[in-house]
Amino acid sequence: MNKIFSFIIITFTLLIMSNVESKGQACSCPDSVTYTKTSQMIQYNSNCFVIVEFCYFCSPATLERSIFICNIIIPWNQAGCSWDGVDIGSQVFWETIYVSLIKKLPSLSGCEDYEPCGVYPCDGPFPNRFVEIKKAACFRRVVNPILFQTEIIPCQTDAICKIEYCVCWNGTDYTVNKLNSSEIGTSGCVKRVIGVGGGYLDPLNPNPSPDACFSPCY
């Protein structure tokens, strides 16, 4: 009986902690008046789809396109999405998310003029459209055994990661090219680069906690 009671208490505590963490990390758009919050399923590879919660803004007047990434959820109910099977710190992972979101913009409300007629041909005389992606400069992994998923959430930092892309239409699809990336402010977070299961390969910090804050600002 005591074992059963202890199991119930532990499970209840985990549920409370999970709910508190989720509420504490609720997405806050940079400007609630102009930005729209949504979530989209993104294909990371043939065996893994992730959920990205983000805010976006499309200005018809200035042609500004902006995306603010809040968090990413990796469900475990897919063969390629095991709890430690996705390298969440690799440049490939994050750039797959960025490019996929940029290509999804035309299907979102308020961004309809981003369609091919509004994006200049790659071989044309006019400049390409520009898209700016922002997010916190530090993220960390939270394993959620209650919901059977891995959550990638921002750490407490005022520093922002900004990546700029240019977009053009090649006749059949959008061509997305990165211009530059920069960290606005100083986060102090180490880079988390390609490694098994999101492992670190930072020579200055070779063995940090797997749930420590890291900077995916590539």
Side-chain angles (χ1 to χ4, degrees):
M1 180 65 70
N2 288 336
K3 290 183 178 180
I4 295 175
F5 181 74
S6 297
F7 175 77
I8 293 174
I9 293 296
I10 292 172
T11 303
F12 182 69
T13 302
L14 286 172
L15 281 169
I16 292 176
M17 291 175 65
S18 175
N19 288 335
V20 168
E21 178 119 42
S22 298
K23 291 178 181 178
Q25 296 295 336
C27 179
S28 178
C29 298
D31 186 340
S32 59
V33 176
T34 56
Y35 278 75
T36 302
K37 182 165 61 176
T38 187
S39 62
Q40 295 284 321
M41 190 79 74
I42 299 295
Q43 184 174 4
Y44 170 55
N45 58 44
S46 59
N47 296 312
C48 183
F49 287 77
V50 303
I51 301 168
V52 182
E53 186 178 16
F54 63 100
C55 306
Y56 69 92
F57 172 63
C58 292
S59 169
T62 63
L63 305 183
E64 178 186 353
R65 303 289 180 269
S66 183
I67 296 171
F68 184 86
I69 296 177
C70 300
N71 53 65
I72 300 172
I73 295 174
I74 306 175
W76 297 344
N77 61 346
Q78 304 168 69
C81 285
S82 59
W83 76 273
D84 202 28
V86 177
D87 188 353
I88 64 172
S90 73
Q91 186 170 357
V92 172
F93 175 79
W94 287 93
E95 289 191 349
T96 299
I97 300 297
Y98 301 154
V99 173
S100 297
L101 290 181
I102 290 172
K103 290 187 174 184
K104 279 182 175 290
L105 273 180
S107 65
L108 303 179
S109 176
C111 295
E112 294 83 1
D113 70 328
Y114 189 84
E115 291 289 352
C117 61
V119 176
Y120 299 116
C122 296
D123 57 356
F126 301 103
N128 300 332
R129 288 286 181 90
F130 296 95
V131 179
E132 182 180 78
I133 292 181
K134 290 183 178 181
K135 57 186 173 61
C138 299
F139 276 77
R140 65 187 179 92
R141 181 187 70 174
V142 174
V143 175
N144 192 327
I146 304 299
L147 299 179
F148 294 96
Q149 63 190 25
T150 297
E151 301 166 5
I152 308 173
I153 63 176
C155 299
Q156 295 294 327
T157 176
D158 292 329
I160 294 292
C161 175
K162 182 176 74 171
I163 309 107
E164 295 177 318
Y165 286 86
C166 65
V167 185
C168 61
W169 181 254
N170 64 19
T172 57
D173 195 7
Y174 299 102
T175 296
V176 182
N177 294 305
K178 183 168 67 174
L179 297 177
N180 57 69
S181 64
S182 59
E183 184 176 295
I184 304 173
T186 303
S187 68
C189 291
V190 297
K191 286 287 186 183
R192 193 169 191 177
V193 294
I194 296 175
V196 177
Y200 287 83
L201 291 180
D202 186 337
L204 299 179
N205 193 15
N207 297 303
S209 164
D211 302 324
C213 293
F214 64 96
S215 173
C217 193
Y218 298 109

